[in-house]
Amino acid sequence: MARNIQSLERAAAMLRLLAGGERRLGLSDIASALGLAKGTAHGILRTLQLEGFVEQDEASGRYQLGAELLRLGTTYLDVHELRARALVWTDDLARSSGESVYLGVLHQQGVLIVHHVFRPDDSRQVLEIGAMQPLHSTALGKVLSAYDPVAHSEAIEADRKAFTDRTVCELDSFENVLDITRARGYSADVEETWEGVAGVAAPIHDRRRMPVGAVGITGAVERLCRDGELRPELIAAVRDCARAVSRDLGAGRF
């Protein structure tokens, strides 16, 4: 019989401990509860912290579960349930807006397109499921960066490439864009990623009110914009779609 790896067993026990009882625990509490020397416990915590599985509160020094662990625990459910719940609503959004609809989730420092509804006309289109989009310039990416702490960290740490002369790359300006996104509940991309193309997206939340994805429409600037601004009826349609999918995921009213 293969032997268990003791360090992994201890790390797993530590994560279970942090998942129950008190929300945050100090090093001494963790070491005592697991029967470990403080140095051993600190080494494991430090590794888990570097991987994003554990976070340390700067003020108290106590530890809690990290966002990356929470994401790993629900990735499969989120993506597959998200697609299933979004099918009807994204079809409706494509019909009402007359534009392509995209459903995206955070993946490997970018936005993974997990569902794509074609623009409802006879134009030739390419299915983009599985395609990746940048976090800092697309509407889907900016929504995820605004609402998801992990996406935010990855967007901040990434090399924010200028795709057009409208792309927001400077950190303070980008953070301001995210503040605006959170304040109004949607994000915009008007020729920031592709010349002549605009998009609008809104966040989708699950039953725990955690952001699990984003939905948006993308199309020609002349169709999505009026007098240089995104058409308000399209913004409303995207936000309604996001709220409907969130409700179906158990998030309640947003």
Side-chain angles (χ1 to χ4, degrees), residues 5 11 19 53 60 65-67 102 137-138 142-143 154 159 164 195 251:
I5 300 174
F53 297 153
S60 67
L65 293 181
Y102 295 88
S137 63
T138 61
K142 284 188 278 188
V143 153
E154 292 182 353
D159 178 18
T164 73
E195 296 283 356

Side-chain angles (χ1 to χ4, degrees), residues 25 56 93 150-151 154 188 194:
L25 292 173
Q56 185 179 28
L93 178 58
V150 177
E154 292 182 353
W194 303 281

Side-chain angles (χ1 to χ4, degrees), residues 15-194:
L15 293 173
R16 292 191 187 99
L17 179 65
L18 290 171
E22 294 291 332
R23 185 166 180 262
R24 293 175 178 157
L25 292 173
L27 174 60
S28 297
D29 299 323
I30 295 170
S32 176
L34 299 179
L36 299 174
K38 283 187 179 181
T40 301
H42 183 263
I44 296 172
L45 284 166
R46 178 62 178 163
T47 301
L48 292 172
Q49 186 179 359
L50 289 172
E51 294 298 327
F53 297 153
V54 163
E55 296 173 356
Q56 185 179 28
D57 180 66
E58 291 184 5
S60 67
R62 290 175 172 266
Y63 294 89
Q64 64 183 23
L65 293 181
E68 183 62 21
L69 180 66
L70 298 177
R71 176 175 299 285
L72 283 176
T74 57
T75 294
Y76 181 87
L77 174 63
D78 284 346
V79 171
H80 291 270
E81 186 178 3
L82 177 61
R83 288 183 62 187
R85 298 288 185 178
L87 290 176
V88 171
W89 300 111
T90 50
D91 283 348
D92 286 348
L93 178 58
R95 282 192 294 269
S96 66
S97 67
E99 300 295 342
S100 299
V101 177
Y102 295 88
L103 192 67
V105 298
L106 177 66
H107 181 69
Q108 296 181 350
Q109 295 79 53
V111 183
L112 174 67
I113 303 302
V114 297
H115 186 55
H116 175 199
V117 183
F118 283 161
R119 186 170 65 253
D121 59 20
D122 295 327
S123 62
R124 184 176 180 180
Q125 301 174 61
V126 177
L127 189 65
E128 295 187 45
I129 293 176
M132 293 290 293
Q133 294 186 3
L135 284 171
H136 71 285
S137 63
T138 61
L140 291 172
K142 284 188 278 188
V143 153
L144 290 174
S145 299
Y147 286 89
D148 186 324
V150 177
H152 178 261
S153 295
E154 292 182 353
I156 294 303
E157 295 170 3
D159 178 18
R160 291 177 297 281
K161 178 182 176 182
F163 297 105
T164 73
D165 60 5
R166 292 173 175 259
T167 309
V168 177
C169 301
E170 198 274 328
L171 181 57
D172 288 344
S173 298
F174 180 64
E175 290 281 25
N176 185 56
V177 167
L178 299 186
D179 287 341
I180 293 171
T181 296
R182 284 185 286 266
R184 63 189 184 183
Y186 70 91
S187 66
D189 167 12
V190 180
E191 297 188 281
E192 293 181 47
T193 311
W194 303 281

Side-chain angles (χ1 to χ4, degrees), residues 1-18:
M1 180 181 293
R3 296 177 61 187
N4 293 338
I5 300 174
Q6 187 180 56
S7 58
L8 292 180
E9 289 182 329
R10 288 172 170 175
M14 200 169 286
L15 293 173
R16 292 191 187 99
L17 179 65
L18 290 171

